[in-house]
Amino acid sequence: MSVDVERGRMTSAEIVRQNREHTFFSWSVQGAIDPIAIDHAEGVWLFTPEGRRILDFNSQLMSVNIGHGDRRVIDAITEQATKLQFVQPAFATEVRGRLGAKLAEIMPGDLDKVFFTLGGAEAVENALKLARHYTGRYKVLARYRAYHGATMGAMTLTGDPRRWANEPGLVGVVRYPDTHRWGEKEPRPVEESLQGLEDVIRYEGPHTIAAIFLETIVGTNGILIPPDGYLQGVREICDRYGILMVADEVMAGFGRTGKWFAVENWGVVPDLMTMAKGLTSSYLPLGAVAMRHHIAEKFESMMFYGGLTYSSHPVSLAASLATIRVYEEDGLVERAARLGPVMRQHHEQLAARHPSVGTHRNIGLFGILDLVRRHEPYTPLTPFNGTSDEMKAVGRFLRENGLYTMISNNSIHTNPPLCISEAELATGFEIIDRALEIADRAVEG
Ligand SMILES: Cc1ncc(COP(=O)(O)O)c(C=O)c1O
């Protein structure tokens, strides 16, 4: 039977069946998946083929920061695709220069040059290469509670359990202590975390270490916001030992925290900074690694051994330029800053009403609720890297009641597009409010 490749009107059931039969899904036991079919999306809303509305409370993968269906970006993509679809990356294009200059303008400090990739993991891979080439050293330090992508190098840097099945990875990746221990409510004292990092540097030998990688704010491992002084301390240690500081802003960048980049919340300028996701608001695939001036300078006379057929793809770059214009025209970065306290108030109200809320965190519109079985001693509602019947029931409730978000371990993420209205934000938290009644029934003591 021939396959009809024309766009037709398929039902959700037909779409899911064909997707499942012939395509492979990420991070899944293929037989256990149950995807929702989406036909189109607008603002903070996803629509199924049957017209059911779902509130996107996670901006997909914390990435559709400007919201869905923005005509300004769609038109820019169309215009660029009409004019020039592709030239290989050795050519120069207007859109490439303009985006490079725009990024140099909005990035902190003297980060003023970028290498374009297709997504976050490749940005991390190339940061790793740049750091090794620049320093001539090969070791890199990374943390356990971290996700840096699913390519082999980025997977080795990733400390969370997604790494296990992909080991062994790169040689030379060494772990240093996290700011937050799993299952604890508060972060470690800053001095203790920094001392732990310095111990690792001493034992490994500073002259062998090219870079220290970190997510400025840890994303999928729990929106772990570093305590004040931590990032400044890492910066100081890097300077003292001549080690490059690499901030992974793939998730935390582009307005999510109420600043263009999360490092700005602590006045820190990393040597290399990775980005993706919000760079195009996911309208097209694009990532980048940015470098400070002195690093770029060294490559003026030194070969860079790295490249990608689709580096600097003109249509993705046009999507990015238009996306940045949307952040600016609509004041979305400022909007995230303004809505941060509104989200915190919702979190606080839920914590006051529901014994299952153990703690909550947010910075701008980057937020999370951690659910517990007990407050004393503090006991998460799930084991590490696991789930529980109650957590699954909470997830089912949200799905059946029209709210999409990320649930990982014992946490409910609250990361809507930055264009969300206060009324839409309240709608999302009202659905979560009802879901938490399920979790409350599991609370002991
Ligand atoms: C902090 C961070 N770095 C890197 C990545 C990998 O990005 P990509 O999936 O675009 O390769 C992600 C993806 O979630 C991320 O959150």
Side-chain angles (χ1 to χ4, degrees), residues 86-109:
F86 179 71
V87 281
Q88 69 106 326
F91 286 87
T93 59
E94 179 177 336
V95 67
R96 176 173 173 171
R98 291 210 295 132
L99 180 59
K102 186 70 203 172
L103 288 170
E105 181 190 312
I106 63 172
M107 289 187 300

Short mmCIF file of all heavy atoms in Angstrom, two decimals, residues 86-109:
data_model
loop_
_atom_site.label_atom_id
_atom_site.label_comp_id
_atom_site.label_asym_id
_atom_site.label_seq_id
_atom_site.Cartn_x
_atom_site.Cartn_y
_atom_site.Cartn_z
N PHE A 86 20.23 27.90 1.76
CA PHE A 86 21.43 27.30 2.35
C PHE A 86 22.67 27.63 1.55
O PHE A 86 22.64 27.61 0.32
CB PHE A 86 21.27 25.76 2.42
CG PHE A 86 22.49 25.08 2.99
CD1 PHE A 86 22.80 25.19 4.34
CD2 PHE A 86 23.34 24.33 2.18
CE1 PHE A 86 23.93 24.58 4.88
CE2 PHE A 86 24.48 23.72 2.71
CZ PHE A 86 24.77 23.84 4.06
N VAL A 87 23.72 27.97 2.25
CA VAL A 87 25.08 27.89 1.69
C VAL A 87 25.92 27.23 2.77
O VAL A 87 25.62 27.35 3.96
CB VAL A 87 25.69 29.26 1.32
CG1 VAL A 87 25.17 29.77 0.00
CG2 VAL A 87 25.51 30.29 2.45
N GLN A 88 26.95 26.56 2.36
CA GLN A 88 27.75 25.85 3.35
C GLN A 88 28.50 26.87 4.22
O GLN A 88 28.70 28.02 3.82
CB GLN A 88 28.66 24.82 2.65
CG GLN A 88 29.77 25.39 1.80
CD GLN A 88 31.10 25.22 2.49
OE1 GLN A 88 31.17 25.29 3.72
NE2 GLN A 88 32.16 25.02 1.72
N PRO A 89 28.89 26.46 5.42
CA PRO A 89 29.34 27.44 6.41
C PRO A 89 30.62 28.22 6.09
O PRO A 89 30.95 29.18 6.79
CB PRO A 89 29.52 26.62 7.70
CG PRO A 89 29.38 25.20 7.33
CD PRO A 89 28.72 25.11 6.00
N ALA A 90 31.32 27.85 5.03
CA ALA A 90 32.51 28.63 4.66
C ALA A 90 32.13 29.93 3.97
O ALA A 90 32.96 30.82 3.81
CB ALA A 90 33.43 27.80 3.76
N PHE A 91 30.86 30.06 3.54
CA PHE A 91 30.41 31.32 2.92
C PHE A 91 29.98 32.30 4.03
O PHE A 91 29.69 31.91 5.15
CB PHE A 91 29.21 31.06 2.00
CG PHE A 91 29.58 30.38 0.71
CD1 PHE A 91 29.65 28.99 0.61
CD2 PHE A 91 29.86 31.13 -0.43
CE1 PHE A 91 29.98 28.37 -0.57
CE2 PHE A 91 30.20 30.51 -1.63
CZ PHE A 91 30.27 29.13 -1.70
N ALA A 92 29.92 33.57 3.63
CA ALA A 92 29.43 34.61 4.55
C ALA A 92 28.04 35.04 4.10
O ALA A 92 27.77 35.10 2.89
CB ALA A 92 30.38 35.80 4.55
N THR A 93 27.16 35.31 5.04
CA THR A 93 25.82 35.81 4.69
C THR A 93 25.48 37.00 5.59
O THR A 93 26.01 37.13 6.70
CB THR A 93 24.75 34.72 4.90
OG1 THR A 93 24.77 34.32 6.28
CG2 THR A 93 24.96 33.52 4.01
N GLU A 94 24.55 37.80 5.10
CA GLU A 94 24.14 38.98 5.88
C GLU A 94 23.50 38.56 7.20
O GLU A 94 23.80 39.10 8.27
CB GLU A 94 23.16 39.83 5.06
CG GLU A 94 22.68 41.04 5.83
CD GLU A 94 21.77 41.95 5.03
OE1 GLU A 94 21.83 41.92 3.78
OE2 GLU A 94 20.99 42.69 5.67
N VAL A 95 22.64 37.55 7.13
CA VAL A 95 21.91 37.15 8.34
C VAL A 95 22.87 36.64 9.41
O VAL A 95 22.69 36.88 10.61
CB VAL A 95 20.80 36.13 7.98
CG1 VAL A 95 21.36 34.79 7.50
CG2 VAL A 95 19.85 35.91 9.14
N ARG A 96 23.93 35.98 9.00
CA ARG A 96 24.93 35.45 9.94
C ARG A 96 25.65 36.59 10.66
O ARG A 96 25.80 36.57 11.89
CB ARG A 96 25.91 34.58 9.16
CG ARG A 96 27.05 34.04 9.96
CD ARG A 96 27.84 33.05 9.11
NE ARG A 96 29.04 32.60 9.77
CZ ARG A 96 29.82 31.62 9.31
NH1 ARG A 96 29.50 30.99 8.19
NH2 ARG A 96 30.89 31.26 9.95
N GLY A 97 26.07 37.57 9.89
CA GLY A 97 26.76 38.71 10.49
C GLY A 97 25.85 39.49 11.42
O GLY A 97 26.25 39.90 12.52
N ARG A 98 24.61 39.68 10.97
CA ARG A 98 23.69 40.49 11.79
C ARG A 98 23.35 39.78 13.10
O ARG A 98 23.27 40.40 14.15
CB ARG A 98 22.43 40.82 11.00
CG ARG A 98 22.74 41.80 9.84
CD ARG A 98 21.59 42.70 9.49
NE ARG A 98 20.45 41.96 8.97
CZ ARG A 98 19.21 42.14 9.38
NH1 ARG A 98 18.95 43.01 10.34
NH2 ARG A 98 18.23 41.45 8.84
N LEU A 99 23.17 38.46 13.03
CA LEU A 99 22.86 37.74 14.28
C LEU A 99 24.09 37.71 15.21
O LEU A 99 23.95 37.91 16.42
CB LEU A 99 22.38 36.30 13.98
CG LEU A 99 22.06 35.49 15.24
CD1 LEU A 99 20.95 36.15 16.08
CD2 LEU A 99 21.64 34.06 14.88
N GLY A 100 25.27 37.51 14.63
CA GLY A 100 26.49 37.53 15.45
C GLY A 100 26.62 38.85 16.18
O GLY A 100 26.88 38.89 17.40
N ALA A 101 26.40 39.94 15.45
CA ALA A 101 26.53 41.27 16.06
C ALA A 101 25.46 41.49 17.13
O ALA A 101 25.74 42.08 18.19
CB ALA A 101 26.43 42.35 14.98
N LYS A 102 24.25 41.02 16.86
CA LYS A 102 23.16 41.19 17.83
C LYS A 102 23.46 40.42 19.12
O LYS A 102 23.26 40.93 20.23
CB LYS A 102 21.84 40.70 17.22
CG LYS A 102 20.64 40.95 18.07
CD LYS A 102 20.33 42.44 18.11
CE LYS A 102 19.53 42.81 19.34
NZ LYS A 102 19.37 44.25 19.50
N LEU A 103 23.96 39.19 18.96
CA LEU A 103 24.29 38.40 20.15
C LEU A 103 25.41 39.07 20.94
O LEU A 103 25.36 39.15 22.17
CB LEU A 103 24.66 36.97 19.75
CG LEU A 103 23.49 36.10 19.29
CD1 LEU A 103 23.98 34.79 18.67
CD2 LEU A 103 22.52 35.80 20.43
N ALA A 104 26.41 39.60 20.23
CA ALA A 104 27.52 40.28 20.91
C ALA A 104 26.97 41.45 21.74
O ALA A 104 27.47 41.75 22.82
CB ALA A 104 28.55 40.77 19.90
N GLU A 105 25.92 42.08 21.21
CA GLU A 105 25.32 43.23 21.91
C GLU A 105 24.61 42.79 23.20
O GLU A 105 24.71 43.46 24.23
CB GLU A 105 24.32 43.90 20.95
CG GLU A 105 23.62 45.11 21.49
CD GLU A 105 22.50 45.53 20.53
OE1 GLU A 105 22.73 45.63 19.30
OE2 GLU A 105 21.37 45.71 21.02
N ILE A 106 23.89 41.67 23.15
CA ILE A 106 23.09 41.30 24.34
C ILE A 106 23.83 40.39 25.32
O ILE A 106 23.41 40.25 26.45
CB ILE A 106 21.74 40.65 23.94
CG1 ILE A 106 21.93 39.33 23.18
CG2 ILE A 106 20.87 41.61 23.15
CD1 ILE A 106 20.63 38.56 22.96
N MET A 107 24.95 39.77 24.89
CA MET A 107 25.66 38.87 25.80
C MET A 107 26.46 39.67 26.81
O MET A 107 26.92 40.76 26.52
CB MET A 107 26.59 37.94 25.02
CG MET A 107 25.82 36.88 24.21
SD MET A 107 26.88 35.65 23.44
CE MET A 107 27.93 36.59 22.39
N PRO A 108 26.66 39.09 28.01
CA PRO A 108 27.38 39.84 29.05
C PRO A 108 28.88 39.97 28.76
O PRO A 108 29.45 39.14 28.04
CB PRO A 108 27.15 39.00 30.31
CG PRO A 108 26.81 37.63 29.84
CD PRO A 108 26.16 37.79 28.49
N GLY A 109 29.48 41.00 29.34
CA GLY A 109 30.93 41.20 29.31
C GLY A 109 31.49 41.24 27.89
O GLY A 109 30.87 41.80 26.98
#
